[in-house]
Amino acid sequence: MFDLAIIGGGPGGYVAAGKAGAAGLSVVLFEKKELGGVCLNEGCIPTKTLLYSAKVLDYAKHADRYGVTVPESAIDFGAIFKRKVKVVKKLVGGIKVQMRNAQVEVVSGEAVIAGREADGFRIACGDKTYEARNLLICSGSEAAIPPIPGLREGLGDAVVTNREILSLESQPERLVVIGGGVIGMEFASFFQSIGMQVTVIEMLPKILGPMDLEISNMLQAQYAKKGVDFHLNCKVVAVEGNEVVYEDAEGQTCRAAGDKILVSVGRRAQLQGLGLETIGVELALNPAGRPYGIKVDEKMRTNVPGVYAAGDVTGFSMLAHTASREGEVAVNTILGKEDRMSYQAIPGVVYTNPEVAGVGLTEAEAQQKGLDVEVKKLPMAYSGRFVAENERGDGLCKVILDKATGKVLGVHMLGNPCSEIIYGACIAIEKGLTEEALKTVVFPHPSVSEILKETL
Ligand code: NAI
């Protein structure tokens, strides 16, 4: 009998397993594919590896802006993708070592909840059955495929999701991206940088979903200038071979052709085949009554005592860093330590070039909530380090302050390397710092991070 069985070895599952093992619990972790989950194998890490190659190419192409002559710059598509495989392999190996050090028993295979015991749960995997006092479900999510003609029957040769596009063997010429959210824009960024013709078709009037409107528009303008063809307010209604059929804002039917068509219209919690019904785990329902994830409370407990869920399978805040924190909360709850999940300061980062990062409320969200806020803004060019390192670069920092309390409610940035700066804003928001308190903090000079203090 294990103290804890974890289904799914992504950033929710493996972080929880490491913590629980280190705290002295006996842990079994089931993973049907590779440790690291979607994030490490088909998401965050491989895309960031590709995007870094694209960034190096961008630097080489524009080296003259910095007084450096690079006579010729070109990519080796095969080498870029080979490096991605190497990076992923190294990190998967690292997790294996972590699991070994935490004395976690890792089982390769698909786990199914087989039933309840007097003092725990039965989990079947392959031809073996395991027993555990507690169960943590971290089965993640999969790319959502819209039920439109040409897609609902399955992916065709040209149609790919984030998974297949990471295994391309040769460089296509034209890419059509369905959905200008985070995944869509990161791939649009990579493929545009390496010379592909990229078209983005987005249903909403803006890219990057709920991220700050002004910043999303600035990013879009920068990519449009680089040559990405954006079609906003356009709903994809069918895919025919290598053509995407969409309706534009006027209701006209239009077409866009690509050698590859990336479907990036969101992700869905992985709820099937887990045996949740065997022990009566309750699902969360959307307003239409459809299940979108496992229902949890702020301690990551499900309705079944002893059963917890963390990560994308809960159906909201589908981010690796949310999953890891949720996994920690679940383990602390099992250990009897006081802990609860807070979603007020979960950062969102888009690794385009330039990067976008945001945390807390946007201006629009603050207005929707009826809050009386002050919005302070400053171009990134107020940071000396930014100017030194971003020739012709354009960026922005926005801070949303609560007028009544002076507390920082949101911070939104465009400009490199805001992905590395945003955590400062996360601390301010999570810990309820006021503008005055943040102003007393000494930031390193010269650093782009100073922009946060300058904006106040
Ligand atoms: P998303 O929800 O960010 O964006 C999907 C977009 O597709 C939306 O803007 C939506 O309006 C649009 N769309 C939906 N149906 C459409 C249609 N028929 N025609 C045209 N447009 C349509 O989803 P995405 O980009 O697939 O990402 C999935 C999840 O993965 C998100 O939760 C995201 O936060 C996470 N993720 C995070 C990353 C990061 O933190 N850097 C990187 C990649 C993914």
Side-chain angles (χ1 to χ4, degrees):
M1 171 83 71
F2 287 91
D3 292 322
L4 175 62
I6 302 177
I7 301 181
Y14 80 75
V15 169
K19 294 262 167 204
L25 298 184
S26 57
V27 184
V28 57
L29 172 67
F30 300 98
E31 172 52 58
K32 63 180 176 184
K33 290 183 186 162
E34 290 285 349
L35 284 177
V38 168
C39 170
L40 179 42
N41 296 283
E42 302 164 2
C44 324
I45 299 300
T47 52
K48 264 80 270 178
T49 309
L50 298 183
L51 283 162
Y52 194 73
S53 291
K55 198 180 255 182
V56 172
L57 177 69
D58 283 343
Y59 282 135
K61 273 191 201 159
H62 302 299
D64 57 326
R65 291 181 187 169
Y66 302 89
V68 177
T69 306
V70 176
E72 222 175 299
S73 55
I75 60 147
D76 178 340
F77 192 81
I80 289 179
F81 274 68
K82 218 164 138 186
R83 177 169 174 269
K84 177 213 71 176
V85 173
K86 191 182 81 183
V87 168
V88 170
K89 214 168 152 187
K90 180 173 178 175
L91 294 173
V92 171
I95 297 177
K96 283 183 186 159
V97 173
Q98 251 176 281
M99 294 302 99
R100 212 177 302 138
N101 291 345
Q103 297 186 342
V104 172
E105 183 166 335
V106 177
V107 177
S108 294
E110 187 161 1
V112 182
I113 303 165
R116 199 194 289 249
E117 291 293 312
D119 54 352
F121 305 93
R122 246 178 305 122
I123 300 112
C125 187
D127 50 11
K128 275 189 160 176
T129 302
Y130 300 77
E131 287 178 6
R133 281 181 200 92
N134 296 284
L135 176 59
L136 173 59
I137 304 165
C138 304
S139 53
S141 65
E142 58 191 357
I145 305 294
I148 58 174
L151 288 185
R152 63 178 165 224
E153 304 81 6
L155 304 179
D157 282 349
V159 184
V160 288
T161 68
N162 62 292
R163 176 184 298 164
E164 298 78 27
I165 203 164
L166 286 168
S167 309
L168 292 183
E169 279 172 5
S170 58
Q171 185 180 350
E173 281 177 17
R174 295 168 306 169
L175 173 72
V176 179
V177 177
I178 306 177
V182 186
I183 294 185
M185 280 311 300
E186 289 188 351
F187 280 109
S189 172
F190 171 70
F191 285 108
Q192 185 281 326
S193 288
I194 65 164
M196 273 175 80
Q197 191 189 316
V198 179
T199 303
V200 175
I201 304 172
E202 168 56 53
M203 193 161 73
L204 299 175
K206 74 181 281 291
I207 60 165
L208 300 185
M211 295 196 89
D212 181 87
L213 176 64
E214 191 176 7
I215 284 175
S216 304
N217 286 349
M218 283 173 76
L219 185 82
Q220 188 194 329
Q222 294 195 19
Y223 273 91
K225 205 168 153 195
K226 290 182 188 185
V228 173
D229 189 14
F230 287 96
H231 298 272
L232 303 187
N233 290 306
C234 291
K235 189 172 181 206
V236 171
V237 290
V239 172
E240 292 172 4
N242 67 344
E243 278 196 337
V244 175
V245 185
Y246 62 95
E247 275 173 12
D248 71 7
E250 282 77 43
Q252 300 282 329
T253 301
C254 312
R255 287 170 177 271
D259 308 311
K260 288 289 167 200
I261 296 165
L262 172 70
V263 185
S264 48
V265 297
R267 297 186 64 82
R268 276 205 192 112
Q270 180 65 258
L271 299 166
Q272 302 304 317
L274 291 166
L276 297 175
E277 58 296 338
T278 321
I279 52 170
V281 175
E282 192 182 343
L283 300 181
L285 305 178
N286 67 16
R290 276 193 288 276
Y292 66 83
I294 294 180
K295 194 171 172 186
V296 285
D297 66 7
E298 58 186 359
K299 290 179 172 290
M300 310 320 294
R301 295 178 294 207
T302 68
N303 63 311
V304 181
V307 181
Y308 302 77
D312 287 11
V313 75
T314 60
F316 62 96
S317 190
M318 291 186 166
L319 295 162
H321 40 274
T322 302
S324 300
R325 176 70 190 125
E326 288 175 339
E328 265 174 17
V329 171
V331 170
N332 282 337
T333 307
I334 293 166
L335 292 170
K337 284 189 193 166
E338 173 53 31
D339 200 1
R340 58 194 64 228
M341 192 59 205
S342 160
Y343 294 94
Q344 63 174 343
I346 304 278
V349 177
V350 192
Y351 297 84
T352 41
N353 190 16
E355 297 167 348
V356 176
V359 59
L361 297 181
T362 60
E363 209 176 335
E365 285 164 346
Q367 273 161 10
Q368 272 164 19
K369 284 179 178 264
L371 294 170
D372 192 9
V373 295
E374 184 182 4
V375 180
K376 292 195 170 180
K377 306 186 218 184
L378 206 62
M380 279 288 190
Y382 276 74
S383 151
R385 177 96 183 269
F386 183 83
V387 175
E389 295 184 354
N390 292 272
E391 191 63 39
R392 292 189 219 167
D394 190 15
L396 184 68
C397 178
K398 275 175 97 164
V399 182
I400 320 292
L401 297 162
D402 184 10
K403 270 192 187 164
T405 62
K407 282 187 179 173
V408 182
L409 298 180
V411 174
H412 307 277
M413 295 184 190
L414 170 73
N416 295 338
C418 63
S419 62
E420 296 290 348
I421 297 171
I422 199 70
Y423 80 92
C426 299
I427 295 171
I429 296 172
E430 187 58 38
K431 299 300 168 199
L433 295 191
T434 61
E435 176 184 13
E436 290 313 312
L438 194 52
K439 273 181 183 168
T440 64
V441 176
V442 179
F443 284 56
H445 178 77
S447 70
V448 184
S449 68
E450 286 171 295
I451 196 67
L452 179 56
K453 201 169 165 180
E454 291 287 321
T455 308
L456 297 173

